[in-house]
Amino acid sequence: MNLSIRHWLTERQIEISHINSFASGQLAGIAYRIVQDMELKSLMPLDICTLAEVLQLPLGTVEQEISVIALLTENLLRSLSQKKALKRNEGTWLTFQIAYLLALEQILLQEEHLHRPWLNRARIPSQTQIIIFAPQLQGLLKTLSPGKLSDTQAEQALSSIADSLLVQQMNNATEAWLVANGAEELEAKLLAQRLDKALPGYLLKIIAQNPAPLAQLQKFFRLGTLGDVSTIDLYRENYRASLLQTLSTPLLMEYFALKDIYIPLVGIPEEPNGGKPVDLKTWVEKQLTDLETIAVIESEPGYGKTSFCQIWAAEVALKLYPTWMPVVIRLRDIKYGKSLLETLNSGFTFNGDTNLATCLEEAHPRCVLLLDGLDELPPCRQGNRAKAIFLQQLWQFQSQGQHKIVLTGRRTTVEEFTSEIPQLWRRITIQPLEVNQLKQWFHQWALVHSLPIAQNFFTFLKQAGSFTNKSHLPELSNLVRQPLMLHLLGILHRDGLLDDEILQNNTGASLHWEIHSRLRLWLLGYPLTGGMKTMLLRAGTAHIHRTQEAIASLLSDYHPQDYIDKMQAIALKILHSDRHQVTLTDELNTNTLPAFYFRSFVSSHSPRATDKEQLTIQIEFSHPKLGDYLCAEALAAQLQMLTQYQEDVYGTETFIFNHPSSVAQHLYYLLGYGIITQEIEELAIAALQTQQKPTLLQCLESFWRAWCQGRWLDEGIAHKVLPYFHTLQNPVNVEQVNTNVGVNIFLLLATICRDTQISFYPCGNPANVSDFYPETLRLLLAKASVLAKNTLIKRILSQSLSKINLSGAFLSQVMLNGANLEQSDLSDAMLVNANLTNANLTGVNLTGANLTGANLTGVNLETTNLTNACLCDVICTEADREIAKINGALFSVEQFQVVKTLLSKQSSLSVFSSTEKTKIWDRNTLDIGLIESLEGELIMPTLLDNDTYDETVFASKSE
């Protein structure tokens, strides 16, 4: 004979829906009455099987009642233990019932958030009869009720959990229930696997909340196992439990979780004699014995830093506690406080329940602080100074030798601060996946899909040469060795969207753009273009794919383009916040945002806030790389608006932004937030349509010339856009907004010009004296150095100066060390005392340039045009000096002045050459017409407010 809680409540006319509003005392009273009836009927704790009760109900009823039934079961556990101490098998039985119900509820909520198609099938009116008459389900439920759990089986369940007989029986019944509700068999299996990953966390939570009734279970979850720790800190244990519960989170809308396909990562430690590859987890755990240094895990996005933190934190919580207590803090969440502890506590997820400072002040347990995302530290008015102070505080905290700090971040970000106190770092760099790791990954991929799916994907990559040392597609080979990109490529191949065409027709940023575009096609089924094949839909096959049903469930009543516009609008706000997340207080249904791209959560101004007005919605990207794509797409769409026309009431076509000031205001809103990252810049350029680039160039060039003159600052446009950024918690000031816009426009112009093979004159053409500003680049570099230390300078020097025209530019005493000036025109430039150490001067035209006193150490001058260039007092080797002489250089200021005087008497349009080796460089003088053609297409002079195409800044390269 079994006890049915639902039947007991129905007999007494107690509505389950009303129990949600009951106080804890009322719940305890119901449990007390149920226990009394159990005594009368001689029922035992093993006769309670609330899981079996729940699994006999349709989905709609379960969603409404599961939390109430779990809560009543927990009250029954307490009431039964007050009557008589529970045996270990009895306590285990009830604890697993409660924890399993809570874990199942979490899975169902996750599925609801993802708009799963099987949920729609489960909610048809006749579903109750389908559940009742599902023979396989009813047969499996009989194995659970009445309960038959021996003490040996109880110990196995507590020790093995997911691998125990008890949990396997529960999983079998749950899978059958999911199938009866409309899920496919593989979907049901993966959902049960996700549930298993959350189960230890819920078991820990229930045992910690009921320490007296479940005293015999505590040791299995490291509760009260040390003689000097007799009191259970419930807040701490709930945090431990939460770290375990998050392991069930679906991976980018998949049916499986991260841990299902996670493989151990390998890194190379930074050592004086060079490090050897080691297992990342082993290395980090070894660092726990060193309480004087900060362990730093480095890599670019997509290599697994955050994933490692999540997986390892859960492992520490389960296996190394109470020796070590993991504390995970995403540095993007912090707010700079008066002290380090205040700062860290602001980013601690449980700061509403407990103060992190209290935990860190205690001697036991020691905390391992996993501070994830050094490169994601939020901006503040003090700029990099606040970040430097934060790191100094971390170093001081670590030097106390009580706890351990593990920091993650990009290598470039770490190196910004390494020079200050390098001896306090212990660095390791995550390496690309090697052969053995790839084998493990494909094995895991087969388990969550099918063996044929994994084999076909492996064969495709093998035929493309992705696993060889000298691949004919090195870019694909590089992507395959990054865990995130390997997963994304696996999704595309699984659904028939990855083929040879994408590899043969795309390279560099265009390959990344095409991959991300196909991922969006996979998600939304839109847009279908000639270059993209439709998805391979095979309903009923042994793998999970993206169906039209799933797409329709996600889109709901939205048109795909409206959905895309909405995603782009949110992406722009996150980009403009310059802090990896944005806080919105307006009404926004976050359930309509795809979990593939976004994560959202509700926060409050006060820990106990309940009023909706006190709650805010925080939205962030699911992964930085996916965010880069959305930001680039949104940025490209906004830039393309500058080339679009609209008709007035008379049918005349004009630009949407038909006045220079409106163009400027649009660009200040778009680009004033901060500096565009290299990844977003490259993707945005790849997104721009080829036919729109010439028109866009003219528009940006016109804006650039005015920016160089300070026009937009004079018109107060930076002041107008400033409140917008401040509403997004971006602390930029007017000067920063103005500089950000100028630097971003320079970066975009340089990249677009290289892409379209048009010469870019940042300072203007010296032949047009009125529009020539020789100190423009020097001013830009000076402003950039104030914005972002050396990081931005290095980026400009290494990526944005090749193939540009700096003829006549004033660059004296400018630091150009390491600059990539390949094929640039620096004729007649002033480079007196400039630092060109290790600069790339391959194919550079330095005709008539003044390099007096310049540092040319490490520079290769063999292909540099030095005709009549002054190299007096330059720092270089004798061999380089001889090469320079051969290439036409002058080593006397007097000679240089004489030559300049003679040349000035000639026509400014005359062309000359001194040697066969120093060919004439095309100066694109005004003899060229004002209307230029690009690949045979004319650029009409009516574009951009009827301004003609001004070749003082751009000129097509001659054959």
Side-chain angles (χ1 to χ4, degrees), residues 224-292:
T225 55
L226 294 181
D228 58 344
V229 183
S230 57
T231 303
I232 294 176
D233 186 330
L234 190 56
Y235 291 129
R236 180 190 298 158
E237 300 309 330
N238 283 339
Y239 179 68
R240 277 181 66 206
S242 71
L243 295 175
L244 299 169
Q245 292 162 12
T246 56
L247 294 180
S248 72
T249 304
L251 178 62
L252 295 178
M253 292 185 68
E254 296 292 334
Y255 281 89
F256 52 85
L258 167 66
K259 198 171 181 182
D260 287 317
I261 62 168
Y262 183 80
I263 55 174
L265 300 175
V266 172
I268 296 182
E270 186 176 274
E271 297 176 356
N273 299 324
K276 296 181 179 179
V278 296
D279 177 73
L280 179 61
K281 187 183 80 168
T282 303
W283 182 86
V284 173
E285 290 183 351
K286 185 179 179 181
Q287 299 305 307
L288 295 179
T289 61
D290 179 5
L291 297 181
E292 296 180 355

Side-chain angles (χ1 to χ4, degrees), residues 883-909:
I883 293 172
K885 287 181 180 178
I886 296 174
N887 289 350
L890 305 173
F891 288 88
S892 166
V893 175
E894 291 75 14
Q895 286 182 329
F896 176 70
Q897 293 296 340
V898 169
V899 171
K900 295 290 283 186
T901 302
L902 291 174
L903 292 175
S904 64
K905 295 178 181 180
Q906 301 181 22
S907 171
S908 60
L909 299 180

Side-chain angles (χ1 to χ4, degrees), residues 710-727:
R711 172 180 173 179
W712 312 126
L713 204 56
D714 292 341
E715 291 189 9
I717 293 180
H719 292 80
K720 294 177 183 178
V721 304
L722 197 62
Y724 165 71
F725 295 118
H726 287 174
T727 59

Side-chain angles (χ1 to χ4, degrees), residues 220-520:
F220 292 95
F221 290 87
R222 297 176 174 266
L223 287 166
T225 55
L226 294 181
D228 58 344
V229 183
S230 57
T231 303
I232 294 176
D233 186 330
L234 190 56
Y235 291 129
R236 180 190 298 158
E237 300 309 330
N238 283 339
Y239 179 68
R240 277 181 66 206
S242 71
L243 295 175
L244 299 169
Q245 292 162 12
T246 56
L247 294 180
S248 72
T249 304
L251 178 62
L252 295 178
M253 292 185 68
E254 296 292 334
Y255 281 89
F256 52 85
L258 167 66
K259 198 171 181 182
D260 287 317
I261 62 168
Y262 183 80
I263 55 174
L265 300 175
V266 172
I268 296 182
E270 186 176 274
E271 297 176 356
N273 299 324
K276 296 181 179 179
V278 296
D279 177 73
L280 179 61
K281 187 183 80 168
T282 303
W283 182 86
V284 173
E285 290 183 351
K286 185 179 179 181
Q287 299 305 307
L288 295 179
T289 61
D290 179 5
L291 297 181
E292 296 180 355
T293 61
I294 297 175
V296 184
I297 302 172
E298 306 170 8
S299 78
E300 291 305 304
Y303 278 78
K305 299 185 298 296
T306 299
S307 298
F308 172 79
C309 289
Q310 179 185 342
I311 298 290
W312 189 62
E315 190 170 326
V316 173
L318 194 61
K319 297 180 180 179
L320 299 185
Y321 183 84
T323 304
W324 287 99
M325 174 65 192
V327 177
V328 180
I329 297 176
R330 304 188 316 164
L331 293 180
R332 67 169 63 176
D333 296 332
I334 69 166
K335 295 179 181 178
Y336 299 106
K338 296 179 180 178
S339 66
L340 175 66
L341 295 183
E342 184 180 341
T343 300
L344 293 178
N345 189 65
S346 67
F348 182 51
T349 54
F350 269 50
N351 58 16
D353 299 319
T354 185
N355 194 315
L356 181 61
T358 305
C359 301
L360 297 178
E361 289 169 358
E362 296 176 354
H364 188 88
R366 285 179 169 173
C367 292
V368 51
L369 294 170
L370 287 162
L371 307 183
D372 187 28
L374 179 62
D375 46 291
E376 296 179 356
L377 280 170
C380 67
R381 294 188 181 278
Q382 291 76 26
N384 283 328
R385 180 60 185 158
K387 298 179 181 180
I389 292 173
F390 173 70
L391 288 175
Q392 287 284 352
Q393 291 173 335
L394 285 182
W395 291 324
Q396 292 171 6
F397 178 82
Q398 185 63 77
S399 64
Q400 297 173 9
Q402 186 173 348
H403 303 286
K404 181 66 179 180
I405 295 175
V406 178
L407 195 62
T408 75
R410 293 190 181 193
R411 186 172 184 84
T412 52
T413 306
V414 174
E415 287 178 346
E416 283 185 51
F417 303 96
T418 300
S419 58
E420 298 185 26
I421 311 182
Q423 66 270 22
L424 291 180
W425 298 111
R426 289 294 180 270
R427 301 167 63 183
I428 187 170
T429 303
I430 299 177
Q431 297 301 295
L433 300 179
E434 294 299 332
V435 174
N436 290 334
Q437 293 172 294
L438 290 169
K439 287 180 180 178
Q440 293 180 53
W441 188 90
F442 278 101
H443 174 71
Q444 301 294 94
W445 195 248
L447 292 178
V448 297
H449 291 99
S450 67
L451 186 59
I453 291 295
Q455 286 179 332
N456 290 339
F457 184 34
F458 175 82
T459 302
F460 172 81
L461 294 178
K462 183 178 180 181
Q463 291 175 348
S466 301
F467 306 127
T468 60
N469 293 330
K470 296 182 179 180
S471 171
H472 62 280
L473 294 170
E475 292 175 350
L476 177 65
S477 181
N478 180 47
L479 294 179
V480 166
R481 284 167 167 76
Q482 302 174 28
L484 173 68
M485 293 306 300
L486 179 59
H487 172 70
L488 297 180
L489 291 171
I491 291 175
L492 292 179
H493 187 269
R494 178 189 68 193
D495 285 2
L497 286 171
L498 184 64
D499 50 30
D500 294 332
E501 182 181 350
I502 189 176
L503 307 178
Q504 295 170 356
N505 299 336
N506 298 280
T507 58
S510 65
L511 175 60
H512 286 262
W513 177 258
E514 184 67 19
I515 289 172
H516 284 290
S517 297
R518 295 196 181 198
L519 283 169
R520 192 182 68 182

